[in-house]
Amino acid sequence: AVVSTQSTGIPYWLYKLHGLNLYFNCEICGNFKYRGPKAFQRHFAEWRHAHGMRCLGIPNTAHFANVTLIEDARALWEKIKAEKNKDKFQKETEEEFEDSHGNVVSRKVYNDLKRQGLL
C-alpha cells in the first residue's frame, strides 16, 4: 500500500489507476506541480491558474484550456486578438460615401473626387 495522509493508505493498483504517480507542471501557475490528470484538469478553473492568467493580462477563457506554457498562452492570445481585429469595421477601406448623383463610393475615391473638384 502507498502511504497517504490517512493512516490506511490506498492500494498501489488504485494509486496507478488514478494516475497519482504522474505529475503535471503548469508554468502559468508558477511552475506548480499537479498530481494526477484529474487534479491537473480541475486546476484550469481554480484560483491559482486564473490569477496567473490575469497577471499575464490574458482572460481565462475556454480557448486557453490545457495551455500551461506562458509563451503558448501569449501567442494564442495574440492570434485571438488578431482574429477579432480582422472582423472589426475598418474605417479607411470599408466606409462608403454617396456623391450628389447618388453614386456610392469608397472614402478614398470620394476624397480624390472632392480634391479634384468633381463633386
Side-chain angles (χ1 to χ4, degrees):
V2 176
V3 178
S4 70
T5 55
Q6 299 143 358
S7 59
T8 58
I10 61 170
Y12 188 66
W13 66 268
L14 189 60
Y15 174 82
K16 295 258 309 191
L17 179 71
H18 288 293
L20 298 176
N21 56 331
L22 303 172
Y23 289 90
F24 298 90
N25 192 32
C26 183
E27 189 181 24
I28 292 169
C29 298
N31 286 321
F32 195 85
K33 287 186 181 9
Y34 294 92
R35 186 178 206 157
K38 190 174 179 184
F40 178 68
Q41 285 302 318
R42 191 175 43 225
H43 103 275
F44 288 106
E46 293 175 349
W47 68 271
R48 183 179 280 122
H49 194 78
H51 177 71
M53 293 292 277
R54 203 175 309 115
C55 289
L56 293 172
I58 301 171
N60 192 21
T61 59
H63 297 98
F64 298 95
N66 298 319
V67 176
T68 59
L69 299 175
I70 292 171
E71 198 51 50
D72 292 349
R74 283 191 174 140
L76 183 57
W77 178 232
E78 290 304 318
K79 184 179 174 192
I80 290 170
K81 285 197 299 190
E83 285 290 316
K84 280 184 180 177
N85 288 341
K86 188 179 76 169
D87 296 336
K88 205 172 173 184
F89 178 75
Q90 290 158 4
K91 190 175 173 182
E92 288 301 316
T93 57
E94 296 176 12
E95 191 173 27
E96 295 177 335
F97 287 83
E98 189 174 336
D99 65 9
S100 56
H101 302 293
N103 300 319
V104 177
V105 293
S106 69
R107 172 188 270 278
K108 184 181 181 307
V109 172
Y110 181 82
N111 287 336
D112 289 345
L113 292 173
K114 191 174 174 184
R115 226 177 286 120
Q116 293 171 14
L118 297 173
L119 294 178

